[in-house]
């Protein structure tokens, strides 16, 4: 049987892979997307499932910088699903045992707030901001102000702790101001409201899948790439796993698919499952090794409700120190259901790669026990601060997964890798995260796909010329 061949094979059908496949098929390329999960897993960490009529998400809920995803849809002639986020720029923070309105905190110290936060994001260039990649937010802020409300603002947003919520390592000032400035550039306003699509995050994958299939692209689900084939410094295709295993020790057969361009769109922590570091240039492989498992993980707890008095839906709530967990966490409510009056309250805790439970050791009992304990303690926090939410829920959903790479000084920023793999012609790496998309999330997936499609088309034009 003749070997199959495509212009481009994309490994991974998350938002990065689907965005890129849609852009390339739109330009007439013959593209194959290979995704290891079933059709319901297309969208990857942005896929959704259902509990009754309510959408539950595999990972992401709200889109940061939705403008970049909009740009991909615009190019392929599709539109963004409806936004269900009704928030204005509001929110309340529980700090020092009491609730404070975010607006009031900022209003009382407006001039200092503008000086430290607004002016930096607006007036510094991206190049100047990049010089802050290795500077902690705490250092940056406390060197510029001693206003306690401004310092509290940064503290409760988690930026003095290491993520948006979050974990006890300080955040990189370069990464913070880079993402805020990008938001300004794309959306024209400061981060306040993100885009939460009707039907759950999975709805954003639908128009991409449609576009790929309409233009002759192929998406193969339930198919794992065993490894990317590289010979003499050039990519040749992929080997996919096929057949069944009759006993657990049996090796899968593999089947070769040829392509002059292969894109790895798997997350960076999965990269060495499909790519041998011996094929990469040593410094490129070293950077990947340094970054690839330093994840910021999200534990998510969601409850289904229909009692209108449990929540006022006016904006997120941030808790600086849960009374039982001692951790910071965040909460929001959203109307994701098709049924009127039904809504979800969702809570997030972020954990770092150095902690127990460690995402990559979840086969070990001690990590599973630690994760269950975290959720149990967290429910006690919620019962104290939001009475009725746990007790009156119709259903409960718990999940734990890698949100992104942790943004401590020196971890991301200037250490990020280029999307053209150094040392291998025809190989591109677009999984979270690369220098073409310094910030996380679906914005990152769309941004990196736009850049990769530009490069791939440019290289193939010059090869034909
Ligand atoms: C809990 C959580 C909360 C988040 N919150 C937000 C948020 O609020 N806002 C935001 O913008 N972003 C958020 N994110 C991040 C966002 O979901 C990701 O940045 C984005 O979805 C990444 O897309 P991706 O395509 O790069 O990777 P993925 O979605 O991880 O896609 C990679 C795909 O590759 C597949 N794959 C892996 N190995 C193989 C193989 N060998 N063969 C074939 N296929 C393979 C996987 O099955 C997967 O489908 C969150 C993520 C999580 C987990």
């Amino acid at each position: 049987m003749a070997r199959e061949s495509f212009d481009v094979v994309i490994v991974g059908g998350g938002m990065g892979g689907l965005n890129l496949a849609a852009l390339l098929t739109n330009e007439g390329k013959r593209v194959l997307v290979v995704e290891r999960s079933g059709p319901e897993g297309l969208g990857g960490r942005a896929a959704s499932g259902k509990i009754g009529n309510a959408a539950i998400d595999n990972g992401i809920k709200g889109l940061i910088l939705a403008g970049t995803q909009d740009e991909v849809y615009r190019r392929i002639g599709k539109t963004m699903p409806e936004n269900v986020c009704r928030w204005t720029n509001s929110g309340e923070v529980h700090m020092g045992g009491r609730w404070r309105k975010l607006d009031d905190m900022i209003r009382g110290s407006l001039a200092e707030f503008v000086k430290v936060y607004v002016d930096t994001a607006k007036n510094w260039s991206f190049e100047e901001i990049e010089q802050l990649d290795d500077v902690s937010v705490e250092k940056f802020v406390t060197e510029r102000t001693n206003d306690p409300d401004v310092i509290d603002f940064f503290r409760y947003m988690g930026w003095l702790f290491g993520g948006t919520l979050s974990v006890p390592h300080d955040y990189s000032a370069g990464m913070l101001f880079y993402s805020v400035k990008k938001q300004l550039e794309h959306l024209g306003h400061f981060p306040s409201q993100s885009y939460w699509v009707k039907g759950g995050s999975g709805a954003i994958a639908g128009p991409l899948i449609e576009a790929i299939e309409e233009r002759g692209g192929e998406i193969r689900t339930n198919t794992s790439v065993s490894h990317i084939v590289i010979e003499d410094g050039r990519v040749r295709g992929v080997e996919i796993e096929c057949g069944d295993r009759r006993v657990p020790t049996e090796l899968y057969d593999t089947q070769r698919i040829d392509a002059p361009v292969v894109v790895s769109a798997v997350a960076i922590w999965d990269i060495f499952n499909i790519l041998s570091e011996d094929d990469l240039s040593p410094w490129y492989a070293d950077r990947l090794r340094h970054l690839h498992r330093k994840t910021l993980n999200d534990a998510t707890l969601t409850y289904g409700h229909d009692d209108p008095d449990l929540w006022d839906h006016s904006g997120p709530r941030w808790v600086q120190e849960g009374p039982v967990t001692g951790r910071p966490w965040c909460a929001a409510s959203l109307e994701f259901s098709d049924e009127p009056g039904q809504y979800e309250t969702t809570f997030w805790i972020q954990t770092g790669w150095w902690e127990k439970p460690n995402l990559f050791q979840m086969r070990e009992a001690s990590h599973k026990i630690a994760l269950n304990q975290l959720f149990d303690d967290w429910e006690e926090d919620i019962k104290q601060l939001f009475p009725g939410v746990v007790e009156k829920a119709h259903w409960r959903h718990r999940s734990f997964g890698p949100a992104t790479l942790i943004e401590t000084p020196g971890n991301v920023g200037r250490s990020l890798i280029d999307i053209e793999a150094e040392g291998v012609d025809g190989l591109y790496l677009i999984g979270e995260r690369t220098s073409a998309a310094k910030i996380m999330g679906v914005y990152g997936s769309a941004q990196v796909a736009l850049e990769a499609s530009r490069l791939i088309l440019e290289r193939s034009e010059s090869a034909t010329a």
Side-chain angles (χ1 to χ4, degrees):
M1 195 172 74
R3 253 188 355 218
E4 288 185 284
S5 76
F6 290 84
D7 295 335
V8 181
V9 171
I10 298 175
V11 190
M15 287 304 290
L18 295 177
N19 273 318
L20 179 60
L23 290 165
L24 290 174
T25 47
N26 199 42
E27 298 295 327
K29 294 282 173 203
R30 289 188 58 246
V31 177
L32 170 69
V33 178
V34 185
E35 168 55 47
R36 73 178 165 192
S37 59
E40 70 294 340
L42 284 173
R45 277 173 290 150
S48 299
K50 284 221 155 195
I51 295 184
N53 284 321
I56 49 149
D57 296 303
N58 188 25
I60 175 179
K61 279 200 175 295
L63 276 64
I64 308 160
L65 286 170
T68 315
Q69 184 60 52
D70 253 351
E71 173 61 15
V72 175
Y73 287 137
R74 194 190 60 71
R75 290 197 192 184
I76 60 169
K78 299 283 173 190
T79 47
M80 193 85 154
E82 186 194 335
N83 184 6
V84 292
C85 182
R86 316 266 179 253
W87 304 335
T88 53
N89 187 11
S90 61
E92 281 182 45
V93 54
H94 191 266
M95 246 179 156
R98 68 189 172 103
W99 286 103
R100 295 165 74 186
K101 280 200 181 310
L102 168 62
D103 288 354
D104 295 343
M105 267 166 81
I106 298 172
R107 213 172 283 133
S109 306
L110 200 57
E112 282 297 284
F113 180 75
V114 167
K115 184 182 84 185
V116 179
Y117 183 72
V118 179
D119 285 353
T120 310
K122 268 191 170 164
N123 302 337
W124 287 41
S125 67
F126 280 112
E127 291 70 29
E128 285 168 325
I129 286 174
E130 280 178 351
Q131 300 308 310
L132 300 174
D133 278 347
D134 296 339
V135 176
S136 73
V137 177
E138 178 157 35
K139 184 169 172 7
F140 182 81
V141 172
T142 51
E143 278 178 356
R144 280 163 181 79
T145 185
N146 46 27
D147 183 310
D149 275 348
V150 175
I151 294 174
D152 274 354
F153 170 80
F154 283 91
R155 181 164 292 133
Y156 104 78
M157 290 301 285
W159 290 324
L160 301 190
F161 294 104
T164 41
L165 294 180
S166 157
V167 285
H169 270 214
D170 204 356
Y171 198 52
S172 148
M175 292 310 297
L176 167 62
F177 287 110
Y178 185 92
S179 20
V180 174
K181 193 171 179 71
K182 273 285 169 197
Q183 175 115 350
L184 273 173
E185 191 182 81
H186 284 286
L187 300 181
H189 59 75
F190 274 89
S192 55
Q193 178 184 325
S194 49
Y195 199 105
W196 305 61
V197 293
K198 189 161 184 62
S201 64
I204 56 177
L208 301 172
I209 298 167
E210 232 174 68
I212 295 163
E213 291 177 341
E214 278 164 12
R215 280 147 220 177
E218 195 180 326
I219 302 174
R220 219 167 277 177
T221 50
N222 289 315
T223 311
S224 262
V225 165
S226 161
H227 59 275
I228 295 174
V229 182
I230 296 166
E231 288 161 5
D232 307 321
R234 177 145 242 318
V235 89
R236 306 285 172 184
V238 295
E239 288 282 346
I240 57 168
E241 291 174 353
C242 49
D244 290 324
R245 282 201 299 189
R246 284 150 296 193
V247 288
T249 52
E250 187 170 357
L251 294 186
Y252 279 109
D253 283 336
T254 59
Q255 189 185 320
R256 169 92 169 251
I257 298 176
D258 290 327
V261 174
V262 173
V263 180
S264 163
V266 307
I268 192 170
W269 38 90
D270 281 338
I271 203 87
F272 292 116
N273 297 342
I274 56 165
L275 194 59
S276 161
E277 60 195 288
D278 300 338
D279 285 322
L280 302 169
S281 81
W283 73 264
Y284 192 88
D286 274 358
R287 271 196 189 182
L288 274 176
R289 273 266 169 238
H290 162 76
L291 285 173
H292 86 299
R293 287 211 157 163
K294 297 208 167 63
T295 54
L296 179 66
N297 308 311
D298 261 40
T300 310
L301 188 47
T302 307
Y303 302 94
H305 288 123
D306 58 7
D307 178 348
D309 296 329
L310 278 178
W311 208 274
D312 71 5
H313 303 292
S314 67
R317 300 289 182 268
W318 308 78
V319 172
Q320 249 254 301
E321 197 177 332
V324 179
T325 57
R327 283 175 176 268
W329 45 265
C330 164
S333 70
L334 281 155
E335 294 158 282
F336 273 139
S337 171
D338 294 333
E339 294 200 9
Q342 302 272 330
Y343 64 95
E344 300 176 24
T345 50
T346 301
F347 298 80
W348 294 274
I349 279 186
Q350 295 185 332
T351 67
W353 58 277
W354 58 86
E355 289 188 80
K356 198 184 247 192
N358 180 314
L359 195 80
F360 303 107
Q361 285 167 275
M362 288 307 289
R363 290 170 75 106
E364 291 176 25
S366 66
H367 289 264
K368 287 183 269 189
I369 291 165
L371 183 59
N372 282 324
Q373 188 64 51
L374 174 66
F375 275 107
D376 291 345
D377 290 349
W378 194 8
E379 286 206 319
E380 294 305 314
D381 278 359
I382 297 168
K383 282 183 190 163
Q384 289 191 29
L385 293 175
F386 297 97
V389 163
V390 174
E391 298 85 343
K392 292 189 180 174
H394 297 307
W395 51 262
R396 181 188 78 182
H397 173 74
R398 292 173 164 187
S399 70
F400 185 56
T404 186
L405 292 180
I406 200 144
E407 292 164 326
T408 45
N411 189 43
V412 285
R414 274 174 290 182
S415 353
L416 289 173
I417 50 154
D418 293 333
I419 60 180
E420 279 186 286
E422 175 80 23
V424 187
D425 287 345
L427 176 64
Y428 297 80
L429 267 58
I430 67 163
E432 182 154 334
R433 218 185 251 232
T434 57
S435 55
K438 282 182 79 168
I439 72 167
M440 69 167 291
V442 166
Y443 153 79
S445 311
Q447 175 71 23
V448 80
L450 287 164
E451 179 58 11
S453 101
R454 186 189 68 74
L455 279 171
I456 291 169
L457 294 170
E458 202 175 276
R459 301 279 182 271
S460 72
E461 261 170 37
S462 56
T464 358

